[in-house]
Amino acid sequence: MENIIEIKNLTKIYRMGKEKVTALENVSLCIKKGEFCCILGTSGSGKSTLLNMIAGLEKPSKGQIIIKKHHLEKMNEKQVTKFRQDYVGFVFQSYNLLPNLTALENVAMPLVFSGMANKKRNNIAKEMLSAVGLGDRLHHRPSQMSGGQQQRVSIARAFVSRPQIVFADEPTGNLDTKTTEEVMDLMSGMTQKHNQTLIMVTHDVETAVYADRVIYFRDGHVEKIEVNNNKHKQGEEL
């Protein structure tokens, strides 16, 4: 499989007054197209900083981030925004749904930027919500749904435009065990079905079993990388 992401000597240093805090130091790794990759580490290990760098949410202090032969570190803000619209989806721990919009409107939102006609994007959003088991919640707002339902809406939104890469930042952090399994099955199943690349950041060893490869992070460095030969099999076809 070809590499879709290449990270070379990535370093991130934050300045706090006169102090310098090194969040990442000379990190190099590759992620392949269609791979489910888990970045595992405790709070403060640098895993979320790495995700933010790869997703173009923060600029590195040094190093290269090459995604589909595009150098993110050389892009300006407008170019990075366009890149994310074209290639990337996000799933967040806190769902990040717009509270005044319905589930249907939240999921259809990424398609607005592509200039798609209203009827077509609503039909696609309905299909995605049905795929995540929320076909009967189309017109519910976030406040009318449980945490698990909100995260399903978030997953539908992340996948609706069929992005080549999906970033998931602690996607099960606010969920109970049963809902966590359902959410992980959903994301794993969708990425396998459409050969998408999924990069998940977590501190939870139990969710890491769903990944093809686990990258252990400690103190801003890659501690070790393990191929997951006993990968959890998702329970439903999507």
Side-chain angles (χ1 to χ4, degrees):
M1 291 187 292
E2 65 176 305
N3 290 329
I4 193 169
I5 299 173
E6 295 179 53
I7 300 162
K8 299 180 180 180
N9 303 315
L10 199 65
T11 297
K12 181 64 177 180
I13 299 171
Y14 294 102
R15 297 184 182 275
M16 303 178 69
K18 295 182 179 179
E19 297 291 321
K20 291 183 180 179
V21 177
T22 302
L24 295 177
E25 187 172 11
N26 290 326
V27 173
S28 296
L29 56 91
C30 294
I31 297 170
K32 297 187 179 299
K33 180 177 173 59
E35 182 178 22
F36 180 175
C37 186
C38 174
I39 302 170
L40 182 68
T42 59
S43 177
S45 63
K47 63 185 188 301
S48 292
T49 300
L50 178 62
L51 185 75
N52 289 341
M53 299 289 108
I54 306 172
L57 299 174
E58 291 187 53
K59 289 282 189 183
S61 301
K62 290 190 296 186
Q64 297 177 309
I65 306 162
I66 306 166
I67 303 181
K68 292 186 63 63
K69 305 192 186 304
H70 297 272
H71 282 258
L72 257 67
E73 79 280 357
K74 294 180 180 179
M75 291 183 181
N76 60 37
E77 188 172 337
K78 184 177 180 180
Q79 290 169 327
V80 171
T81 299
K82 179 68 166 58
F83 182 86
R84 286 199 296 262
Q85 289 174 0
D86 291 342
Y87 296 110
V88 174
F90 289 94
V91 180
F92 300 96
Q93 177 179 348
S94 56
Y95 322 133
N96 281 24
L97 301 176
L98 295 173
N100 295 326
L101 299 185
T102 64
L104 182 66
E105 291 166 337
N106 267 288
V107 174
M109 183 62 67
L111 302 176
V112 172
F113 301 108
S114 67
M116 187 180 293
N118 184 60
K119 183 177 180 180
K120 184 176 181 181
R121 65 175 182 256
N122 281 343
N123 286 337
I124 293 174
K126 286 177 186 176
E127 290 175 8
M128 282 301 306
L129 283 165
S130 294
V132 300
L134 293 177
D136 59 344
R137 296 286 190 274
L138 301 179
H139 304 295
H140 285 62
R141 289 182 168 79
S143 61
Q144 299 170 309
M145 293 183 283
S146 67
Q149 289 171 336
Q150 289 183 66
Q151 193 59 301
R152 284 172 177 262
V153 175
S154 177
I155 291 168
R157 180 184 58 188
F159 284 89
V160 71
S161 59
R162 295 280 174 86
Q164 295 188 36
I165 305 166
V166 176
F167 294 105
D169 189 0
E170 298 280 7
T172 62
N174 292 331
L175 305 177
D176 59 42
T177 301
K178 181 177 183 296
T179 308
T180 289
E181 292 175 355
E182 293 172 351
V183 163
M184 293 306 302
D185 282 342
L186 277 172
M187 290 196 300
S188 180
M190 285 185 173
T191 51
Q192 285 186 39
K193 182 177 181 180
H194 300 294
N195 195 32
Q196 293 162 295
T197 302
L198 175 59
I199 302 170
M200 178 180 73
V201 162
T202 185
H203 67 277
D204 185 1
V205 176
E206 293 185 8
T207 59
V209 301
Y210 288 79
D212 299 308
R213 201 161 49 119
V214 182
I215 300 170
Y216 292 80
F217 240 71
R218 182 189 293 271
D219 298 330
H221 297 87
V222 175
E223 185 177 37
K224 62 179 178 177
I225 299 176
E226 290 183 351
V227 176
N228 194 353
N229 294 318
N230 298 313
K231 179 180 176 180
H232 178 95
K233 302 296 183 183
Q234 72 273 16
E236 57 184 305
E237 181 70 23
L238 293 164

